[in-house]
Amino acid sequence: MAMTKSQRQLNFSIFRYLVLTFWLFIVAFPIFWMVGTSFKPDIEWFAWPPVYITENGTLQNYLVVWADASEYSESVHTQSLQRPWEALGNSTLISLISTTLAVLFGSVLAYGVSRYQILSEGRMFQLLMLRMVPPIVLIAPISIWYRALDLLDSVPGLVMLYFITTLPYAVWMSKSFIDEVPREMEQAAEILGASKWQTIWEVVLPLVRSGLVATFLFILILTWSEYLMALLLSKTNVVTLPIELSKYQGSTEGRVYGRQAALSVGITLPLILVGIIIRKHLVRGFSFGMVRR
Amino acid sequence: MSQIELKNLRKEFGSLVAVNNLNLTIEDGEFIVFVGPSGCGKTTTLRMIAGFEDPTSGDITIDGKVVNELEPRDRDLGMVFQSHALFPHKNVADNIAFGLRMKKVKQDEQARKVKEVSELVRITHLLGKMPGQCSGGESQRIALARTLVTEPSNFLLDEPLSSLDAKLRRELRAECDRLHDELQKTFIYVTHDQEEAMTLADRIVVMNQGKIVQMGSPLEIYGDPVSYFVADFFGNPAMNLVEGEFVSGDSGLQFKSPQFTIPLPSKYSQKQPGKGTLGIRPENVTIGATDAAASINREVELVEPLGKDTLLYFETGAERPFVAVIEGTQSVERHANVDVGFPDDAIFLFDETGARIR
């Protein structure tokens, strides 16, 4: 028997919700497990059957990681090298500076590409292709250069590296937002008496602001969580959060999952906070259609 | 006083010649309309006057001064764009005040002028709104106000009404006309709509393929087209154009199409035979008893009553049906056979190249 139209619509929406719910579980489970584990005492980290929601919640993991209330304080352990606050500081400094530079230079470049075709289509594509090169193959040459320039294991070294490697994204993303601003709008401002700078400041910038904020967050996330290049180009002086995370494992005690989880929560929270602060811009920025014609 | 002169103006985009050696003088206070099909160079010409495109060669002078090197904002122009180009992040009042702010007009003076101009185009009730909350017609009025408030000597309007629906278009067309009357400033208006051109212009400049084809008052253009192109472009319904041949007959030159042959008026008797086109405006075709020298008997294919007028369609083997306009009060049945008359003074002839045969 054939279904009626309303039945079909109902079935389809049930199907849609099932698929999306399934997807939500897949996406959200690791986050749930991370947060859950961070509150578990050590015997529950590996327990079988797994403990989904602990009944013995503890802040011990957080205290050990972030407040250095080490329960091993008397014994020999591997955690003496761990400096999470310093790593947080480094990560914050490096990501903010390199992301700001990338978005600043990227958007200026993108404006030139969008309005004055300073780069051809082919050049723009090549710029993006730079990102297709596996980072690992770049590390050796960069190491040599950095050694010569004395940039290894330094904050400026990582800032420069992240700035250069994220610049293509910044150009591409901000260009898509600048392209959205009709040229006629700029010309209208010009013929009404605005100078080029006034036009950019009064007309272009307000219209692409949301897009630039979205670009900023996107690149911030990339930089904030970058592991490979930081691992190979820094050693002991400059440690970022992803590197710090890898230190919470050792030959004697194995992986200390609870501590890692507590640190992971600390790594994730700042990004979520930034996201909440700028959410107004994100919705408009990521929808790519913020200019009403 | 402000006179705009275009001298040997030429614009190339790569190998494409968009505007080809244009010469034109636009008098102070004139309402001039550039009209032509898309790609004819009319918008490029306007954008060169505005300063958004640099001419490949030739000069643009305003008041005798060459302005080629001047920035758009230094040319004493105002421009209204097809897309309105309102700033979506500023409210209507700020949009209108923008030009005054850029010219560093005092705050209280700004407020006074914004109020004045919004009364002129009747949008005072919109001042607090955002452009996104305004309709297409309202947006166009705001765009006009934003330009008017800076009091330029010349207004450039680039298809300002083409994004609006027919009723609004008529309304704003009248508005443009009224503004021009009140302000007595030069209006340079670009459109592809022949009706807009006819109703608004003091002088029409018909362009095609980067060149001026004909210039003149609306009635000159309509009544005395220089070519097939102009004849075809102006008028609604369009002029009937039947392709055929001019041949010598017993009593002078005749027009012979695959479906009919008519004698041509005696003033053409000395012209050379050859291929060509016969044109006649639908309102000049006579139906029924006629004293026209030339007439054919034809079956009415379709009757389209429009109220005041009725359109009759005939089959003549041409691409488009042959149309005649009669008074709405006359009644003609579909499939009736009627006499279709071609009065002498209503006949236009064009040669093979499209040039008018006079």
Side-chain angles (χ1 to χ4, degrees):
Chain A
M1 208 180 79
M3 284 190 290
T4 64
K5 192 176 171 197
S6 60
Q7 264 176 330
R8 250 199 326 271
Q9 280 171 346
L10 181 70
N11 286 353
F12 178 70
S13 80
I14 290 172
F15 174 73
R16 199 174 50 189
Y17 274 99
L18 281 177
V19 170
L20 288 176
T21 310
F22 178 67
W23 181 244
L24 179 70
F25 269 108
I26 292 179
V27 172
F29 188 78
I31 297 172
F32 160 74
W33 200 252
M34 174 184 80
V35 176
T37 304
S38 72
F39 291 108
K40 285 177 198 168
D42 49 8
I43 51 162
E44 289 181 1
W45 296 347
F46 306 95
W48 193 263
V51 178
Y52 286 97
I53 295 176
T54 179
E55 287 168 3
N56 311 307
T58 169
L59 287 175
Q60 187 64 15
N61 294 320
Y62 286 93
L63 291 173
V64 170
V65 171
W66 296 102
D68 203 23
S70 173
E71 75 260 62
Y72 305 114
S73 53
E74 295 299 312
S75 60
V76 178
H77 58 81
T78 55
Q79 298 186 11
S80 56
L81 287 172
Q82 286 145 10
R83 294 164 295 178
W85 287 104
E86 199 186 313
L88 181 68
N90 282 334
S91 271
T92 309
L93 191 69
I94 293 169
S95 325
L96 285 183
I97 296 178
S98 66
T99 306
T100 307
L101 284 177
V103 174
L104 199 69
F105 278 74
S107 53
V108 170
L109 206 55
Y111 185 83
V113 176
S114 175
R115 296 300 195 242
Y116 300 104
Q117 286 78 46
I118 57 170
L119 294 180
S120 65
E121 295 258 313
R123 283 274 178 280
M124 279 295 283
F125 186 66
Q126 284 164 12
L127 191 65
L128 196 65
M129 286 302 286
L130 282 179
R131 288 298 317 199
M132 307 296 155
V133 179
I136 191 81
V137 306
L138 297 174
I139 295 297
I142 289 176
S143 303
I144 296 167
W145 275 86
Y146 267 31
R147 182 179 307 274
L149 296 167
D150 203 18
L151 285 171
L152 277 178
D153 208 12
S154 71
V155 170
L158 283 181
V159 165
M160 254 172 63
L161 188 70
Y162 290 149
F163 164 53
I164 292 165
T165 51
T166 54
L167 190 64
Y169 289 133
V171 175
W172 269 88
M173 261 183 96
S174 46
K175 178 173 175 290
S176 71
F177 293 109
I178 293 168
D179 285 344
E180 286 271 308
V181 179
R183 290 195 82 150
E184 287 196 344
M185 221 171 263
E186 281 180 62
Q187 290 168 342
E190 273 172 55
I191 208 159
L192 285 168
S195 68
K196 194 75 214 170
W197 284 113
Q198 281 172 317
T199 305
I200 289 175
W201 188 252
E202 294 260 354
V203 177
V204 183
L205 209 57
L207 292 178
V208 297
R209 191 163 49 205
S210 291
L212 293 187
V213 168
T215 310
F216 184 87
L217 186 68
F218 177 73
I219 291 175
L220 187 72
I221 292 171
L222 280 183
T223 312
W224 185 260
S225 49
E226 203 285 327
Y227 176 69
L228 187 67
M229 291 188 282
L231 180 70
L232 295 169
L233 293 177
S234 66
K235 288 189 176 64
T236 50
N237 273 338
V238 183
V239 172
T240 59
L241 282 171
I243 305 297
E244 180 70 12
L245 190 59
S246 72
K247 287 190 190 165
Y248 286 78
Q249 58 189 45
S251 51
T252 51
E253 71 271 60
R255 285 176 179 270
V256 279
Y257 284 123
R259 312 281 191 272
Q260 283 192 324
L263 185 64
S264 300
V265 171
I267 297 177
T268 314
L269 272 180
L271 287 183
I272 292 178
L273 268 176
V274 172
I276 289 172
I277 293 169
I278 61 177
R279 69 184 182 284
K280 182 184 92 186
H281 292 288
L282 287 185
V283 177
R284 297 203 298 161
F286 278 128
S287 64
F288 280 81
M290 74 296 174
V291 178
R292 296 179 68 163
R293 279 165 212 260
Chain B
M1 268 304 287
S2 170
Q3 189 193 51
I4 299 177
E5 250 186 297
L6 313 180
K7 290 180 194 156
N8 298 320
L9 201 62
R10 183 181 176 89
K11 178 69 184 180
E12 296 167 14
F13 294 105
S15 61
L16 178 88
V17 181
V19 175
N20 195 349
N21 291 342
L22 205 75
N23 285 289
L24 179 66
T25 305
I26 301 164
E27 299 298 337
D28 184 43
E30 195 175 16
F31 199 131
I32 197 159
V33 176
F34 288 116
V35 66
S38 23
C40 71
K42 56 191 191 298
T43 294
T44 309
T45 307
L46 192 77
R47 292 175 55 80
M48 282 194 283
I49 299 174
F52 296 132
E53 305 282 355
D54 294 325
T56 308
S57 63
D59 284 333
I60 300 164
T61 66
I62 299 180
D63 287 334
K65 203 173 71 189
V66 177
V67 297
N68 291 26
E69 296 298 320
L70 286 187
E71 293 289 332
R73 64 171 181 275
D74 300 323
R75 295 188 182 194
D76 193 16
L77 303 167
M79 182 154 175
V80 178
F81 296 85
Q82 183 175 4
S83 63
H84 314 166
L86 298 177
F87 308 130
H89 54 295
K90 296 178 188 287
N91 73 17
V92 172
D94 289 343
N95 260 284
I96 298 173
F98 186 85
L100 298 174
R101 207 153 54 77
M102 293 300 118
K103 293 190 165 77
K104 301 206 165 57
V105 174
K106 284 204 200 79
Q107 282 270 319
D108 50 338
E109 179 80 358
Q110 279 185 31
R112 190 181 62 74
K113 284 194 166 172
V114 168
K115 189 163 164 289
E116 208 176 274
V117 80
S118 49
E119 275 163 14
L120 182 69
V121 294
R122 305 181 187 117
I123 51 163
T124 27
H125 58 294
L126 299 173
L127 287 178
K129 287 192 178 181
M130 298 304 280
Q133 297 167 297
C134 300
S135 69
E138 289 170 341
S139 299
Q140 197 52 274
R141 280 169 194 271
I142 298 164
L144 267 171
R146 187 176 64 175
T147 306
L148 289 170
V149 81
T150 58
E151 296 172 13
S153 309
N154 307 288
F155 289 85
L156 311 180
L157 302 104
D158 182 13
E159 308 221 12
L161 309 183
S162 64
S163 58
L164 307 176
D165 63 53
K167 186 166 171 288
L168 262 175
R169 226 169 23 226
R170 271 197 301 279
E171 205 179 297
L172 276 160
R173 201 166 69 198
E175 189 83 17
C176 278
D177 221 4
R178 181 177 69 90
L179 283 172
H180 178 249
D181 272 355
E182 272 178 41
L183 300 168
Q184 294 296 320
K185 299 279 176 71
T186 309
F187 276 49
I188 306 175
Y189 190 107
V190 162
T191 180
H192 62 266
D193 180 359
Q194 54 92 19
E195 200 179 314
E196 255 172 53
M198 294 288 290
T199 48
L200 287 173
D202 292 331
R203 189 155 58 123
I204 292 177
V205 176
V206 189
M207 291 184 68
N208 193 26
Q209 297 177 341
K211 286 187 168 165
I212 296 178
V213 184
Q214 190 174 2
M215 253 190 293
S217 74
L219 288 180
E220 278 167 29
I221 302 269
Y222 187 80
D224 194 14
V226 297
S227 68
Y228 180 102
F229 173 80
V230 179
D232 190 30
F233 198 84
F234 287 86
N236 184 26
M239 183 187 279
N240 295 303
L241 291 157
V242 186
E243 273 174 53
E245 234 177 313
F246 307 119
V247 293
S248 308
D250 312 331
S251 53
L253 208 61
Q254 288 184 326
F255 176 75
K256 187 166 174 273
S257 86
Q259 296 215 359
F260 63 87
T261 304
I262 55 168
L264 290 172
S266 52
K267 66 169 172 171
Y268 296 117
S269 56
Q270 300 306 314
K271 302 290 175 194
Q272 289 296 317
K275 285 203 157 110
T277 307
L278 175 131
I280 182 166
R281 296 216 177 267
E283 65 270 26
N284 295 337
V285 176
T286 61
I287 297 296
T290 174
D291 47 7
S295 75
I296 52 175
N297 195 267
R298 271 286 188 280
E299 184 189 342
V300 181
E301 296 274 332
L302 188 67
V303 180
E304 223 176 55
L306 298 177
K308 184 178 157 298
D309 297 320
T310 298
L311 303 186
L312 303 181
Y313 290 79
F314 301 90
E315 179 58 45
T316 56
E319 228 174 276
R320 295 190 300 229
F322 188 95
V323 184
V325 181
I326 57 169
E327 299 247 340
T329 49
Q330 275 179 277
S331 84
V332 174
E333 291 295 317
R334 189 172 173 197
H335 299 310
N337 276 298
V338 295
D339 284 326
V340 180
F342 297 78
D344 279 3
D345 51 1
I347 290 176
F348 295 94
L349 299 182
F350 305 98
D351 69 15
E352 228 181 329
T353 63
R356 174 91 174 270
I357 302 173
R358 289 174 191 274

